[in-house]
């Protein structure tokens, strides 16, 4: 058979849902395997997965064939899921579009063969014409087989890390066509069989296999050390044959086929084989080696009641558009097998053709004893690949995977609360590691996705990003002697004075009066005073106006409103608030001037720059109360609208108790809103170790951590990170010198964690820069153009010209 036309010998007779009736009488149940992300699994996770597969498969009936097929194809990144509207979105789209990466598909097939004895001849022509096909009827045996497989699939799907999804008829047919069409796209072709390789269209194919007991050297394990990320003080794990998966950056398929055999039958056959090898062991060292291995398998069967004897076949089929490249790829695969202490078999001619054709799921019953190793099911399952590419969520924030820096969407909002109950987040990293850069990346995408942002900033880190949206942002910068333009007492009309608004104003005044434990009676008294004020003063509302009103009516106010003096002290009110009105020390904070309140309510991006106030406890405290007032009138005005409050570089203020309590208030209040709070710290130790900070951390379920040379022990202890989380943190490596510059970040969403990268195009990098000469140069250009997009483009053009 030197040439095969699949159209003349189609292997599939019929498909019903996910069940294939093959032309040779086999029945195949087809599933797509949904696997965890590469790098996300610990040593314990790999052991658990191994146990899950074993428990699911061990009770399947004798004669069942299980075929796991992992297909890896080089592809250009399509970028279809990337938004492509704004300036920075377009730059990101163009930067990543077409980037080469390895795409992984994993399938699992359960086959009930026509001949349950599974004793195929050495070479079986899978395309032997069968009159009218062998269409099996839905008999008792087949019905029982489907029930058994459903039980195994249910067991797997009830586990933690893997899921099997039935393949649809179109998916099955597409896979069949692509396989026999040699993964050529856009045209149909024939299979040409040559002595040195298989040729299908523009692709040349070859294969390497593990097909007998002599191929195995040392023992197999469910995982091994990942040398790339392991260091002296920690061990990072990978699956035992992961080097033949995503790590092998070539077009290839890993086929692992298991024949579930009769334990008692094989015990007798192995005993006979041991006897024969014992007699011939003096004739060569190979016989001695095989004798030891067979004896070990036999001992295992006799000692372990749960042992399940299987015959197995593992092969790697690989292809390239240039025939000469096959030797190079074969050498890579051989090297990986050598690392695993395995000696692969290199098929030639008829054997190669046989391995390629019968690695199709419909033909997996055609391997003979000479193509199969004999071992225990537990042993064989160490050869399973249990992870896949990084997976993108439907919506989310764009990061990059650790394999090829391909964009990955991670849903850190989790609208349906499948992974997290609270979407608050924290960013941890020392100075210079890119905390604000990362925050810019997260917030910019949230903003472009329609969220409202309030950023409380101490270092001007968000001005450039904000200025890209001139009509939608406002930057409120504290300057001594000037007000922020926030008037908490302003109302556009009487309808604005809702019970919630009155509640907020009463709390604002009580906080300003330094009331630490506010009783219900004091709160009610304050609300009565406010209602009385708004009933009599119809315009020009402000703190000064309220102060004057209380002063003017102080002789009759308490009597008229039936308020006990113990619940509202006019003397304390006038005395304490005198600092904030009519020439008092901090009166400038509440000067109405040009009231910006209504412009704030119209903006989706509000940045408070408090750099100059960072060391003044009193002013900072008042400023935070004013900001709270602004938040209540923007983010919390509409509960259906999503919003984020970010406290950047907040460590210096956390030493003041009132600040920590103020932040805790946001955490408690945000639960009632459709919002999230973010904090950025250099170290988790900057949060005091008390109940207030513990409450904040408990309600923070999205964690971002960048590199920290001092270690991560405090982070692990206070966030109760797993040992694998810690290993992931220790494996963080940045590359700021290569062609694809990136930083690495641990992102933990609820219980899920992995290392992601952040690579951005030059335009985005320029927008996120927060200091240095390049940042100054962009701001200088902006002063001329008054257009941040234009300033960034001009800066990059100048930079490109200098390189030339």
């Amino acid at each position: 058979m030197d040439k095969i036309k699949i159209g003349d010998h189609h292997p599939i007779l019929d498909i019903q849902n996910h069940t294939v009736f093959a032309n040779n009488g086999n029945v195949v149940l087809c599933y797509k395997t949904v696997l965890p992300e590469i790098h996300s699994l610990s040593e314990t996770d790999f052991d658990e997965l191994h146990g899950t597969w074993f428990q699911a498969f061990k009770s399947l009936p004798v004669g069942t064939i299980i075929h796991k097929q992992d297909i890896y194809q080089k592809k250009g990144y399509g970028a279809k899921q990337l938004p492509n509207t704004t300036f920075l979105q377009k730059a990101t789209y163009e930067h990543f579009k077409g980037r080469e990466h390895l795409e992984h598909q994993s399938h699992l097939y359960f086959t009930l063969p026509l001949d349950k004895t599974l004793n195929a001849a050495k070479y079986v022509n899978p395309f032997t014409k069968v009159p009218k096909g062998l269409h099996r009827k839905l008999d008792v045996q087949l019905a029982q087989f489907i029930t058994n497989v459903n039980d195994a699939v249910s067991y797997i799907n009830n586990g933690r890390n893997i899921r099997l999804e039935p393949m649809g008829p179109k998916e099955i047919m597409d896979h069949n066509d692509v396989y026999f069409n040699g993964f050529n796209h856009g045209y149909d072709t024939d299979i040409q069989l040559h002595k040195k390789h298989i040729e299908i269209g523009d692709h040349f194919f070859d294969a390497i296999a593990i097909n007998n007991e002599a191929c195995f050297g040392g023992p197999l394990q469910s995982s091994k050390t990942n040398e790339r990320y392991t260091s002296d003080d920690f061990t990072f794990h990978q699956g035992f044959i992961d080097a033949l998966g995503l790590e092998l950056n070539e077009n290839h398929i890993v086929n692992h086929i298991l024949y579930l055999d009769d334990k008692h039958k094989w015990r007798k056959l192995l005993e006979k084989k041991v006897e024969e090898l014992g007699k011939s062991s003096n004739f060569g060292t190979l016989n001695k080696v095989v004798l030891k291995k067979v004896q070990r398998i036999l001992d295992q069967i006799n000692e372990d009641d749960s042992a399940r004897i299987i015959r197995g076949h593992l092969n790697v089929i690989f292809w390239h558009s240039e025939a000469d490249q096959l030797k190079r790829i074969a050498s890579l695969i051989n090297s990986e097998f050598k690392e695993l202490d395995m000696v692969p078999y290199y098929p030639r001619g008829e054997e190669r053709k046989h391995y390629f054709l019968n690695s199709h799921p419909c033909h997996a019953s055609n391997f003979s004893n000479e193509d199969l190793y004999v071992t225990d099911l537990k042993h064989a399952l160490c050869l399973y690949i249990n992870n896949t590419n990084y997976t993108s969520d439907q919506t989310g924030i764009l990061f990059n995977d650790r394999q090829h820096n391909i964009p990955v969407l991670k849903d850190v909002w989790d609208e349906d609360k499948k992974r997290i109950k609270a979407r608050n987040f924290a960013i941890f990293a020392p100075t210079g590691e890119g905390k604000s850069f990362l925050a810019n990346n997260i917030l910019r995408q949230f903003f472009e996705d329609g969220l409202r942002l309030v950023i409380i900033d101490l270092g001007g880190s968000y001005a450039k990003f904000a200025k890209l949206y001139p009509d939608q942002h406002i930057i409120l910068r504290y300057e001594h002697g000037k007000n922020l333009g926030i008037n908490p007492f302003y109302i556009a009309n009487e309808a604005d004075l809702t019970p919630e608004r009155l509640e907020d104003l009463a709390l604002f005044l009580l906080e300003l009066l330094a009331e630490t434990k506010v009783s219900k009676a004091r709160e009610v008294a304050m609300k009565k005073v406010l209602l009385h004020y708004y009933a009599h003063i119809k315009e020009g509302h402000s703190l000064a106006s309220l102060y004057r009103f209380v002063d003017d009516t102080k002789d009759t106010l308490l009597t008229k409103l039936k308020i006990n003096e113990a619940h509202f002290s006019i003397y304390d009110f006038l005395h304490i608030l005198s600092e904030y009105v009519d020439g008092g020390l901090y009166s400038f904070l509440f000067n109405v001037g040009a009231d910006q309140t209504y412009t704030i309510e119209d903006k989706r991006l509000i940045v408070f720059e408090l750099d100059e106030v960072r060391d003044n406890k009193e002013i900072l405290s008042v400023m935070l109360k004013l900001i709270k007032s602004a938040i209540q009138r923007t983010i919390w005005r509409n509960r259906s609208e999503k919003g984020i409050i970010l406290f950047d570089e907040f460590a210096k203020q956390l030493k003041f108790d009132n600040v920590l309590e103020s932040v805790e208030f946001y955490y408690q209040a945000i639960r009632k809103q459709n919002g999230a709070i973010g904090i950025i710290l250099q170290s988790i130790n900057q949060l005091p170790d008390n109940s207030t900070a513990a409450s904040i951390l408990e309600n923070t379920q999205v964690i971002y951590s960048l590199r920290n040379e001092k270690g991560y022990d405090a982070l692990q202890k206070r966030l109760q990170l797993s040992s694998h989380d810690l290993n992931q943190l220790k494996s963080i490596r940045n590359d700021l010198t290569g062609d694809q510059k990136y930083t690495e970040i641990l992102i933990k969403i609820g219980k899920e964690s992995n290392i992601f990268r952040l690579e951005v195009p030059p335009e985005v990098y320029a927008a996120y820069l927060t200091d240095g000469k390049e940042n100054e140069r962009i701001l200088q250009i902006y002063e001329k153009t008054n257009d941040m997009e234009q300033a960034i483009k001009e800066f990059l053009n100048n930079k490109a010209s200098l390189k030339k």
Side-chain angles (χ1 to χ4, degrees):
M1 196 196 317
D2 296 323
K3 184 175 179 179
I4 302 170
K5 289 186 177 179
I6 295 300
D8 298 341
H9 311 274
H10 205 283
I12 295 176
L13 194 66
D14 188 22
I15 304 175
Q16 295 176 16
N17 297 320
H18 65 292
T19 304
V20 169
F21 293 86
N23 210 4
N24 57 9
N26 290 348
V27 178
V28 188
L29 274 60
C30 309
Y31 293 89
K32 186 165 62 176
T33 316
V34 182
L35 296 166
E37 292 178 341
I38 190 168
H39 307 310
S40 69
L41 300 174
S42 66
E43 183 179 12
T44 307
D45 292 328
F46 282 113
D47 288 342
E48 277 183 20
L49 283 169
H50 180 271
T52 299
W53 290 122
F54 177 73
Q55 291 298 328
F57 294 165
K58 71 175 185 179
S59 301
L60 286 170
V62 169
T64 301
I65 299 172
I66 304 167
H67 178 183
K68 188 165 185 291
Q69 187 173 69
D70 291 278
I71 304 166
Y72 300 89
Q73 295 180 73
K74 283 188 176 183
K75 291 194 173 178
Y77 181 68
K80 287 179 184 174
Q81 66 175 349
L82 300 188
N84 190 20
T85 308
T86 68
F87 169 56
L88 298 185
Q89 285 174 349
K90 287 174 181 173
T92 304
Y93 179 89
E94 292 300 331
H95 182 74
F96 290 109
K97 187 182 176 186
R99 178 170 292 184
E100 188 176 87
H101 66 291
L102 205 61
E103 190 180 271
H104 177 207
Q105 288 179 303
S106 185
H107 299 149
L108 192 67
Y109 304 103
F110 298 91
T111 301
L112 177 65
L114 181 66
D115 178 9
K116 279 188 69 180
T117 56
L118 292 176
N119 279 324
K122 176 58 184 166
Y123 295 121
V124 177
N125 179 357
F127 299 115
T128 301
K129 286 203 172 184
V130 182
K132 296 182 183 177
L134 285 167
H135 200 316
R136 292 176 78 152
K137 293 177 182 176
L138 189 64
D139 56 16
V140 175
Q141 183 194 2
L142 180 53
Q144 185 58 49
F145 174 72
I146 291 171
T147 300
N148 290 332
V149 170
N150 285 342
D151 288 346
V153 169
S154 294
Y155 183 85
I156 290 165
N157 286 346
N158 284 330
R160 207 162 51 91
N161 282 314
I162 37 178
R163 195 170 74 253
L164 298 181
E165 296 178 350
M167 292 171 71
K170 184 179 185 305
E171 206 173 354
I172 293 167
M173 210 63 186
D174 287 348
H175 170 260
N176 174 80
D177 295 346
V178 165
Y179 184 86
F180 285 122
N181 206 44
F183 299 91
N184 291 283
H185 298 281
Y187 60 89
D188 290 334
T189 187
D190 300 326
I191 301 174
Q192 305 281 344
L193 304 167
H194 304 295
K195 284 187 178 179
K196 290 190 176 180
H197 52 251
I198 297 168
E199 185 180 351
I200 312 175
D202 294 333
H203 296 155
F204 299 91
F205 285 75
D206 208 341
I208 290 178
I210 300 294
N211 66 346
N212 65 79
E213 300 85 32
C215 293
F216 297 102
L220 306 188
Q221 302 146 220
S222 61
S223 67
K224 66 188 282 285
T225 301
N226 182 325
E227 300 296 344
R228 182 178 175 188
Y229 295 115
T230 294
S231 188
D232 292 341
D233 61 336
F234 73 99
T235 305
F236 204 86
H237 278 260
Q238 65 181 50
F240 191 70
I241 68 161
D242 276 5
L244 297 172
L246 285 169
E247 299 293 326
L248 179 63
N249 196 22
E250 303 290 344
N251 291 310
H252 67 289
I253 305 170
V254 179
N255 291 291
H256 194 195
I257 298 163
L258 303 177
Y259 290 19
L260 302 191
D261 282 324
D262 185 332
K263 178 176 177 176
H264 305 294
K265 172 189 161 187
W266 272 97
R267 182 188 279 127
K268 288 176 185 174
L269 286 172
L270 287 170
E271 285 170 350
K272 189 177 179 184
K273 198 166 187 178
V274 166
E275 191 182 334
E276 289 170 358
L277 285 166
K279 290 174 184 175
S280 61
S281 63
N282 294 328
F283 295 104
T285 53
L286 181 61
N287 283 353
K288 285 182 181 178
V289 171
V290 176
L291 172 61
K292 278 185 183 177
K293 287 178 183 175
V294 175
Q295 185 65 56
R296 192 166 66 226
I297 295 164
L298 189 58
D299 291 344
Q300 200 173 353
I301 295 168
N302 292 329
E303 289 167 14
D304 186 356
D305 289 338
S306 69
R308 179 75 198 259
I309 294 302
I310 62 98
R311 282 174 296 160
H313 176 91
L314 174 75
N315 69 50
V316 182
I317 292 169
F318 50 98
W319 71 94
H320 201 282
S321 55
E322 297 173 32
D324 293 347
Q325 292 292 319
L326 293 178
K327 281 187 180 178
R328 178 186 60 79
I329 300 169
S331 176
L332 287 173
I333 296 168
N334 267 318
S335 297
E336 297 301 347
F337 274 124
K338 192 175 180 182
E339 283 287 317
L340 299 171
D341 199 12
M342 294 162 80
V343 182
Y345 168 69
Y346 203 174
R348 292 282 190 273
E350 189 73 11
E351 197 88 349
R352 182 193 291 116
K353 173 189 80 177
H354 172 66
Y355 281 12
F356 175 79
L357 296 178
N358 292 321
S359 291
H360 183 275
C362 289
H363 302 153
S365 58
N366 290 341
F367 288 101
S368 72
N369 273 343
E370 292 175 48
D371 306 309
L372 302 164
Y373 60 82
V374 180
T375 190
D376 175 56
L377 178 59
K378 284 180 184 174
H379 182 267
L381 288 172
C382 291
L383 301 177
Y384 262 25
I385 290 172
N386 285 320
N387 51 43
T388 187
N389 302 99
Y390 280 61
T391 50
S392 268
D393 295 323
Q394 289 295 314
T395 59
I397 302 300
L398 211 61
F399 299 98
N400 304 88
D401 74 6
R402 210 178 190 181
Q403 293 296 109
H404 307 278
N405 289 18
I406 293 299
V408 181
L409 277 174
K410 291 317 286 183
D411 185 0
V412 292
W413 189 266
D414 198 9
E415 188 76 47
D416 300 327
K417 297 191 175 179
K418 291 178 181 176
R419 292 185 284 206
I420 48 176
K421 297 290 182 281
R423 51 183 67 102
N424 304 320
F425 64 92
I427 298 173
F428 298 101
T431 302
E433 289 294 340
K435 295 185 297 294
S436 294
F437 193 95
L438 173 61
N440 267 281
N441 183 62
I442 295 165
L443 294 181
R444 188 267 296 180
Q445 293 182 62
F446 270 136
F447 175 75
E448 291 184 338
D449 203 30
L451 271 74
R452 191 184 283 268
L453 307 180
V454 174
I455 302 170
I456 300 152
D457 181 27
L458 297 175
S461 300
Y462 303 92
K464 286 216 310 300
F465 140 52
K467 285 169 183 171
L468 280 166
Y469 314 94
D471 300 329
Q472 299 177 66
H473 87 276
I474 185 165
I475 297 173
L476 301 171
R477 186 176 288 107
Y478 169 78
E479 293 177 60
H480 184 68
K482 294 183 182 177
N483 75 327
L484 268 183
I486 304 170
N487 177 6
F489 298 90
Y490 169 82
I491 58 169
N493 51 58
E494 286 185 20
D496 274 0
L497 201 64
T498 60
E500 291 85 2
R501 184 70 192 282
L502 207 60
E503 196 91 34
D504 292 339
L505 284 172
L507 285 173
F508 174 77
L509 285 165
L510 288 164
E511 283 181 12
L512 213 53
L513 292 166
E515 298 274 3
T516 47
K517 291 185 179 177
V518 179
S519 68
K520 185 69 179 172
R522 289 182 186 233
E523 203 177 316
V524 171
M526 186 62 79
K527 282 190 275 189
K528 279 186 173 183
V529 171
L530 282 165
L531 270 173
H532 191 55
Y533 163 67
Y534 280 106
H536 287 79
I537 308 297
K538 298 299 182 183
E539 58 183 24
H541 304 115
S542 67
L543 181 63
S545 165
L546 173 65
Y547 184 91
R548 283 192 294 273
F549 177 76
V550 172
D551 193 17
D552 291 344
T553 59
K554 59 180 178 286
D555 297 333
T556 58
L557 186 65
L558 298 184
T559 310
K560 194 167 187 177
L561 296 178
K562 296 179 182 176
I563 295 173
N564 189 316
E565 193 170 350
H567 301 142
F568 186 89
S569 168
I570 288 178
Y571 173 79
D572 285 351
F573 183 92
L574 296 174
H575 176 61
I576 293 171
L577 294 189
S578 65
E579 279 208 301
Y580 304 110
V581 298
D582 298 336
L585 187 59
Y586 301 115
S587 60
F588 64 90
L589 292 170
F590 290 92
N591 285 343
V592 176
D595 184 17
Q596 289 177 292
T597 308
Y598 13 108
T599 58
I600 283 178
E601 290 179 352
D602 296 336
K603 305 299 181 186
R604 283 202 307 111
L605 173 52
I606 306 166
V607 183
F608 293 98
E609 289 190 355
L610 306 183
D611 195 42
E612 291 187 32
V613 77
R614 62 166 67 204
D615 295 317
N616 188 318
K617 178 180 176 180
E618 183 65 33
I619 295 180
L620 181 71
S621 176
V622 176
M623 295 290 285
L624 287 171
K625 292 177 181 64
L626 285 168
I627 289 167
K628 188 192 294 183
S629 161
I631 287 167
Q632 284 159 343
R633 299 183 67 174
T634 53
I635 284 183
W636 293 351
R637 182 180 55 174
N638 180 357
R639 287 192 180 183
S640 65
E641 186 178 47
K642 298 176 184 177
I644 291 177
I645 306 162
L646 178 78
F647 294 92
D648 189 1
E649 290 288 2
F650 214 57
K652 206 163 186 180
Q653 287 71 47
L654 289 175
K655 61 188 176 188
F656 304 135
D657 291 341
N658 59 338
V659 173
L660 191 62
E661 263 75 63
S662 179
V663 174
E664 189 191 19
F665 163 81
Y666 290 114
Y667 275 86
Q668 291 169 346
I670 205 85
R671 292 176 189 169
K672 302 171 190 173
Q673 314 298 328
N674 196 5
I677 295 170
I679 55 173
I680 302 180
L681 292 166
Q682 291 182 20
S683 163
I684 198 165
N685 287 335
Q686 292 176 325
L687 271 178
D689 198 355
N690 59 26
S691 59
T692 308
S695 170
I696 286 172
L697 289 177
E698 195 176 318
N699 286 297
T700 301
Q701 294 187 9
V702 182
I703 301 296
Y704 303 91
S705 178
L706 292 123
R707 189 182 65 152
N708 191 335
E709 290 179 344
K710 292 180 181 177
Y712 308 92
D713 293 343
L715 203 64
Q716 183 193 26
K717 183 182 175 185
R718 293 189 64 181
L719 293 176
Q720 298 176 327
L721 301 179
S722 69
S723 57
H724 186 57
D725 291 335
L726 185 61
N727 287 342
Q728 286 177 322
L729 281 164
K730 288 179 176 179
S731 77
I732 287 176
R733 308 279 187 273
N734 297 339
D735 185 354
L736 302 174
T737 57
D739 292 335
Q740 296 176 3
K741 297 177 178 63
Y742 60 82
T743 53
E744 290 193 331
I745 317 141
L746 172 84
I747 302 178
K748 188 172 175 71
I749 308 169
K751 292 181 180 179
E752 296 177 15
S753 67
N754 210 342
I755 298 294
F756 291 82
R757 287 178 177 171
L758 181 55
E759 179 193 336
V760 298
E763 294 87 345
V764 176
Y765 177 77
Y768 294 172
L769 273 178
T770 57
D771 53 25
K773 288 181 180 177
E774 290 187 327
N775 183 54
E776 287 173 23
R777 180 71 193 120
I778 295 166
L779 292 175
Q780 284 169 5
I781 300 170
Y782 174 75
E783 291 301 317
K784 287 189 304 176
T785 63
N786 203 32
D787 182 326
M788 186 53 73
E789 183 178 328
Q790 191 57 43
I792 289 171
K793 286 177 179 175
E794 191 175 318
F795 165 75
L796 293 174
N797 288 336
N798 293 342
K799 198 174 175 182
S801 301
L802 286 171
K803 279 186 178 178
K804 289 177 183 177

